[in-house]
Amino acid sequence: MSLEEDSRWLEWVTKQFESIAGDDKEIDLDEFKTALKVKESFFAERFFALFDSDGSSSISLDELLEALDLLIHGNETDKLRFLFQVYDVDGSGSIDPDELRTVLKSCLRESAISLPEEKLDDLTLALFESADKDNSGSITFEELKAELENFPEVMENLTISAANWLKPPDLEQKKCKTPRYLTRAYWHNNSRKLFFLCLYAVLNVLLFIIAMLKNAHGGPWFMVAKGCGQCLNLNCTFVMVLMLRRCLTWLRATWMVRVFPLDQNILLHQIVGYTILIFTIVHTGAHVVNFACMSQNDGMYQLWEYLFTIRPGIGWVKGTASITGIILQVLICLMVVCSSTFVRRSGHFEVFYWSHLSYVWVWALLIVHCANFWKWFVVPGVVFLIEKLVGIAVSRMGGLYIVEVNLLPSKVTHLVIKRPPSFQFKPGDYVYINIPVIAKYEWHPFTISSAPEQQDTLWLHVRSMGQWTNRLYEYFRQPESQTISNKRLTASLRNRRHESRTQNEMFKSASCNNTVASNKDDAVELTLYQTSRTHTNSQKPVSDPVAQAELGDATPATRELTAKLSENHRYCNIKCYVDGPFGTPTRQIFASEHAVLIGAGIGITPFASILQSIMCRYRMRKQNCPNCNYSWCETIKDNEMKLRKVDFIWINRDQKSFEWFVSLLTKLEMDQADEEPEGRFLEMHMYMTSALSKNDMKAIGLQMALDLLAKKEKRDSITGLRTRTQPGRPDWAKVFQKVSEEKKGKVHVFYCGSPALAKVIKAQCEHFGFNFYKENF
């Protein structure tokens, strides 16, 4: 923060103090926590004790401002001294291991990180042994200062702002800047979409004017109604064309993807939908006004007769234009309201789904309502019908079954579906799935998370965010006897025991040799098994509980773990139907040179498939020296994949979410264990937003300890990966600046996650001139 922001923060602190302090103008410890919104009791107590200079167990405003003034205007040594006093709990003038452990434990709680006690001990010893230069058994102020100097970013944060010591709420910053829609970068990066929208607008204007001129004899309101009606003929047909998924998937492989914004068909579909609503309201309003004028001028019929009866004979099918028009108005308004983001994202996807099916009635009523609509509708309608028939045939062809289910943290259901030989897809594609035991008539879209090279099975990862997805998760949480037949359960047990014996033999082989298996594929499989059986908190492999039970040495703890695994992982044989695959913007990945993949939460799903496919192609280019163990990868650039560099960024809110794909990421890391001529082909960046960022002073000790232990163990304590998990949110300006400086070719950024974050990332992409693609369905 700048000095101006520090002043604003002090003003905020003063107001907070005055609003909470009583008549004595002092605050106690509880009021101090409330005033500065300090979450963790340890840090609140330490700050309070240091601010309470007279030891009265209360802080006056003068005492508080005096202490904060020191942190703002004091030099680097003053701030380091304050940090040392926070860590020196007993005030002895030195920090012993137990004090350091207490501080780190509080840091973990503040960051919502859960680690076992032994891992906390490892973190404490890593930091303590590094700082205790003279091996005296305690850390002095000089030793702490010397240790901090080994972390330049920490020293830099000490000089940025004192406000970070107490992490105040975000202060709104009003900056005068040019709206992004008026910048040159925005127009350059959205040229296809803007060009298409201009053509779309011009076409609507032309149709409106032509229709008005043809009906000039009916008066101004009649002309407006007819102009809107002609535009509705176009839009009510075009809104369907934008959802011809199979046609769009095919067009993405042609030159048209370079001219038209095919990857933004969902956005365009929404724009056309809102356009239909506007034209419908104006069209209906103009007719009502016109009918009111007619009822007053000729007196043959009353207004209500024009609107609610067929007596005036308006319309080409027995005078039903007014009645069908009112019904259409209601249906269109209902569809638009139920399609809003609030409905779809608030756990009521079924409301959107069932209300949207009324499009069939809308088209039927439009044919009855307007004499010329069928001329616009016939060709796209036939194509739409063919697509639907093909979809039904494809989904019903062959028996598809869910053969395995894994219940993952944060209520994510991992479905493993037996893949038919004829099912071909590309990385990042999605499918519609129907599971009759969950809902007989509902189809829901999900990205395929397995790679096309995985021939036998198809993976889907389903996050529980609505009624259908919650029912799916709860269905598989039921006791296994309720959802799986006895015969299938017997086969399941047999398969599981066979798998356990194989895995147990792998562990025995690895322990006998006391080294990693010489064969690279075996090493990968071993690590995958270790990771899949490892809780992220401990990152230590546990032996397979089923195998232990078979050998007769299962302990009570092992039996408890066995029960837990059987609840969360099971084999089954449940009928399902799949329609697809359908293409997405991520199909452009292999045509780019430098791809940046950004997944937020379960938004990693399309990239799970893509990363596996990329690494399969990458492995095919591996070269091995016949005279030594050195291996490398030749430059990957051919007609199928032009990629020279891939940056994968995964942002999660909490620690458990990393468990979804930790085994996959471990395998990808092992694939790149060797040196490469042009540097690392795939770089992974993990961010945990619940953890305190590095510019938060309460997190300094923890982040230093995590860095030191990661260097020592060559593994991150939070995820178990070699890639260090970064706390807080990414600084997108710095991230994209680094990407730009690498100069690996044209950068394409692919994003899947929340719409709010998409806007931030898209704005940065426009600034750097990167192409931005977002999963929209």
Side-chain angles (χ1 to χ4, degrees):
M1 285 188 182
S2 64
L3 290 177
E4 180 184 350
E5 290 166 340
D6 278 334
S7 300
R8 290 175 57 208
W9 178 60
L10 281 177
E11 189 177 327
W12 173 80
V13 169
T14 303
K15 289 180 179 179
Q16 286 287 99
F17 185 94
E18 292 173 346
S19 66
I20 294 175
D23 295 335
D24 57 355
K25 302 298 182 184
E26 294 191 348
I27 59 175
D28 58 21
L29 177 59
D30 292 333
E31 291 170 332
F32 176 76
K33 294 178 185 178
T34 305
L36 295 180
K37 300 183 180 180
V38 179
K39 213 167 38 171
E40 176 56 42
S41 296
F42 170 81
F43 290 105
E45 291 167 3
R46 293 302 301 140
F47 292 147
F48 185 85
L50 294 174
F51 291 164
D52 182 18
S53 57
D54 60 3
S56 61
S57 298
S58 64
I59 301 176
S60 65
L61 180 59
D62 290 337
E63 286 179 312
L64 180 61
L65 293 179
E66 181 183 353
L68 295 179
D69 183 70
L70 175 67
L71 295 179
I72 292 176
H73 302 295
N75 57 33
E76 185 179 288
T77 302
D78 292 332
K79 296 176 182 180
L80 277 174
R81 179 72 65 180
F82 184 84
L83 178 65
F84 181 82
Q85 290 173 336
V86 171
Y87 281 36
D88 183 15
V89 180
D90 60 6
S92 62
S94 62
I95 304 171
D96 61 40
D98 292 324
E99 287 177 318
L100 186 59
R101 189 182 191 279
T102 301
V103 173
L104 294 183
K105 189 172 184 178
S106 300
C107 289
L108 288 171
R109 286 200 296 265
E110 186 82 15
S111 296
I113 299 174
S114 176
L115 296 179
E117 294 296 320
E118 53 270 22
K119 181 63 69 174
L120 175 59
D121 292 340
D122 293 340
L123 286 171
T124 304
L125 290 175
L127 179 55
F128 190 86
E129 290 173 354
S130 179
D132 184 16
K133 307 296 183 184
D134 58 3
N135 297 322
S136 62
S138 63
I139 302 173
T140 63
F141 171 71
E142 288 74 19
E143 287 176 326
L144 179 63
K145 183 179 179 181
E147 182 63 23
L148 285 169
E149 289 173 349
N150 294 327
F151 296 83
E153 67 278 7
V154 173
M155 298 302 293
E156 180 184 354
N157 288 333
L158 282 172
T159 61
I160 292 175
S161 170
N164 285 319
W165 288 85
L166 297 174
K167 195 177 181 181
D170 295 333
L171 301 175
E172 294 184 3
Q173 301 179 23
K174 296 181 180 179
K175 297 181 180 179
C176 296
K177 61 178 183 179
T178 306
R180 57 185 288 262
Y181 299 105
L182 300 179
T183 61
R184 182 179 179 183
Y186 175 82
W187 285 79
H188 175 74
N189 291 313
N190 294 274
S191 56
R192 287 181 301 164
K193 181 180 73 174
L194 295 173
F195 172 71
F196 182 82
L197 289 176
C198 287
L199 288 179
Y200 170 71
V202 168
L203 182 58
N204 276 279
V205 171
L206 288 175
L207 288 174
F208 186 85
I209 293 174
I210 292 171
M212 285 184 67
L213 295 176
K214 283 184 177 180
N215 296 276
H217 61 277
W221 290 109
F222 185 73
M223 293 168 64
V224 171
K226 286 297 185 179
C228 290
Q230 188 74 324
C231 292
L232 284 170
N233 286 335
L234 167 69
N235 285 278
C236 290
T237 304
F238 187 51
V239 76
M240 168 181 58
V241 172
L242 291 169
M243 297 310 293
L244 296 174
R245 297 185 183 89
R246 281 186 167 78
C247 291
L248 291 174
T249 299
W250 173 73
L251 288 174
R252 280 190 177 96
T254 68
W255 60 269
M256 295 186 70
V257 74
R258 296 190 296 271
V259 179
F260 297 104
L262 300 178
D263 293 330
Q264 295 178 300
N265 66 302
I266 300 295
L267 174 63
L268 297 175
H269 176 80
Q270 294 170 344
I271 291 173
V272 174
Y274 287 118
T275 304
I276 290 173
L277 177 64
I278 294 171
F279 277 131
T280 303
I281 293 173
V282 177
H283 175 76
T284 303
H287 269 312
V288 170
V289 175
N290 187 51
F291 290 154
C293 294
M294 291 171 62
S295 63
Q296 291 178 357
N297 294 335
D298 55 34
M300 292 182 59
Y301 300 100
Q302 298 295 319
L303 178 61
W304 67 269
E305 291 179 294
Y306 278 112
L307 295 177
F308 302 111
T309 70
I310 61 174
R311 293 175 189 174
I314 299 173
W316 75 301
V317 180
K318 297 183 179 180
T320 56
S322 294
I323 295 175
T324 55
I326 291 173
I327 298 173
L328 281 166
Q329 180 73 75
V330 173
L331 288 177
I332 290 172
C333 289
L334 181 67
M335 289 176 68
V336 172
V337 171
C338 293
S339 303
S340 64
T341 303
F342 172 78
V343 173
R344 289 184 291 110
R345 301 289 182 182
S346 60
H348 300 287
F349 183 84
E350 285 74 9
V351 175
F352 157 74
Y353 179 83
W354 288 109
S355 64
H356 231 59
L357 290 179
S358 58
Y359 67 80
V360 177
W361 296 107
V362 169
W363 289 335
L365 289 169
L366 280 170
I367 293 173
V368 176
H369 177 80
C370 177
N372 294 318
F373 178 72
W374 69 271
K375 299 175 184 178
W376 294 80
F377 180 78
V378 61
V379 174
V382 170
V383 176
F384 182 82
L385 180 62
I386 293 173
E387 273 217 357
K388 284 295 180 184
L389 293 175
V390 170
I392 293 172
V394 169
S395 63
R396 303 286 169 172
M397 189 182 301
L400 291 185
Y401 290 88
I402 300 171
V403 295
E404 189 177 348
V405 176
N406 294 284
L407 301 183
L408 304 176
S410 302
K411 298 187 73 173
V412 173
T413 308
H414 173 204
L415 302 177
V416 180
I417 302 171
K418 185 68 176 177
R419 178 181 173 183
S422 59
F423 189 90
Q424 302 297 323
F425 67 98
K426 293 188 176 181
D429 286 359
Y430 69 97
V431 295
Y432 276 81
I433 186 171
N434 168 261
I435 306 176
V437 296
I438 305 299
K440 193 171 183 180
Y441 300 106
E442 290 186 28
W443 292 79
H444 294 266
F446 297 103
T447 304
I448 301 172
S449 53
S450 55
E453 291 80 5
Q454 188 174 321
Q455 297 293 332
D456 297 332
T457 57
L458 199 68
W459 290 2
L460 300 179
H461 283 76
V462 181
R463 178 78 180 271
S464 298
M465 297 182 67
Q467 297 175 13
W468 187 89
T469 52
N470 277 314
R471 286 203 304 270
L472 177 70
Y473 185 85
E474 294 299 327
Y475 178 83
F476 289 108
R477 285 191 63 189
Q478 297 175 9
E480 198 164 0
S481 58
Q482 296 182 23
T483 57
I484 302 176
S485 66
N486 291 333
K487 290 184 178 180
R488 186 65 191 176
L489 184 61
T490 303
S492 164
L493 182 61
R494 188 185 306 115
N495 291 338
R496 199 180 308 173
R497 287 180 173 176
H498 174 73
E499 179 188 20
S500 300
R501 290 192 189 97
T502 304
Q503 292 162 344
N504 199 41
E505 289 173 3
M506 290 172 63
F507 272 110
K508 288 180 180 179
S509 174
S511 60
C512 289
N513 296 328
N514 197 26
T515 185
V516 180
S518 57
N519 185 293
K520 184 69 175 292
D521 292 335
D522 291 343
V524 169
E525 295 298 329
L526 178 58
T527 302
L528 276 175
Y529 173 70
Q530 291 175 337
T531 311
S532 65
R533 296 302 190 195
T534 302
H535 192 278
T536 302
N537 293 347
S538 62
Q539 300 305 327
K540 294 182 179 179
V542 294
S543 52
D544 186 75
V546 180
Q548 284 190 357
E550 285 185 338
L551 296 173
D553 60 352
T555 64
T558 303
R559 294 190 193 99
E560 182 180 351
L561 181 59
T562 305
K564 184 176 180 181
L565 286 173
S566 63
E567 290 175 4
N568 295 334
H569 173 255
R570 62 178 56 177
Y571 295 91
C572 56
N573 194 33
I574 296 175
K575 183 73 175 178
C576 68
Y577 300 99
V578 172
D579 183 17
F582 302 110
T584 65
T586 52
R587 285 196 171 189
Q588 300 293 323
I589 284 179
F590 294 99
S592 59
E593 294 178 309
H594 189 167
V596 180
L597 316 180
I598 305 174
I602 199 61
I604 186 183
T605 307
F607 304 133
S609 172
I610 291 163
L611 289 172
Q612 291 178 83
S613 184
I614 287 175
M615 296 313 294
C616 282
R617 303 183 189 197
Y618 171 85
R619 247 179 265 125
M620 293 174 64
R621 293 299 188 94
K622 277 282 186 181
Q623 301 292 327
N624 296 288
C625 177
N627 301 320
C628 63
N629 293 327
Y630 181 78
S631 63
W632 70 95
C633 184
E634 293 183 342
T635 302
I636 302 177
K637 191 172 182 180
D638 53 34
N639 293 331
E640 292 188 1
M641 188 170 76
K642 298 179 180 179
L643 282 170
R644 296 169 56 192
K645 176 72 184 295
V646 178
D647 280 284
F648 170 60
I649 302 172
W650 190 15
I651 309 162
N652 272 314
R653 181 177 301 170
D654 52 44
Q655 179 184 1
K656 280 189 170 294
S657 298
F658 287 103
E659 295 181 24
W660 298 337
F661 292 96
V662 69
S663 59
L664 167 63
L665 299 179
T666 301
K667 182 176 180 180
L668 295 179
E669 282 188 328
M670 290 193 66
D671 284 336
Q672 290 202 115
D674 308 310
E675 297 182 9
E676 298 154 21
E678 294 189 356
R680 190 170 289 274
F681 172 67
L682 170 65
E683 282 196 29
M684 293 192 287
H685 314 268
M686 308 293 163
Y687 290 89
M688 180 175 164
T689 58
S690 68
L692 297 178
S693 60
K694 288 186 176 181
N695 65 351
D696 191 310
M697 296 301 105
K698 298 188 295 295
I700 285 180
L702 176 61
Q703 295 305 326
M704 290 169 57
L706 288 170
D707 284 341
L708 289 167
L709 191 60
K711 289 178 182 178
K712 180 180 178 181
E713 296 184 346
K714 296 184 179 180
R715 195 165 297 279
D716 182 60
S717 297
I718 297 175
T719 62
L721 300 170
R722 295 177 183 175
T723 303
R724 172 81 165 86
T725 302
Q726 300 299 320
R729 292 174 172 80
D731 185 335
W732 295 111
K734 290 184 178 179
V735 170
F736 289 148
Q737 181 64 41
K738 181 178 179 293
V739 169
S740 179
E741 291 171 354
E742 290 180 355
K743 300 186 183 303
K744 294 288 186 178
K746 182 64 177 177
V747 178
H748 296 250
V749 178
F750 301 86
Y751 171 78
C752 185
S754 68
L757 182 56
K759 294 179 181 178
V760 176
I761 297 174
K762 186 176 182 180
Q764 288 293 334
C765 289
E766 290 165 2
H767 175 73
F768 285 92
F770 300 162
N771 289 347
F772 177 79
Y773 303 88
K774 177 181 178 293
E775 293 285 353
N776 292 305
F777 73 88

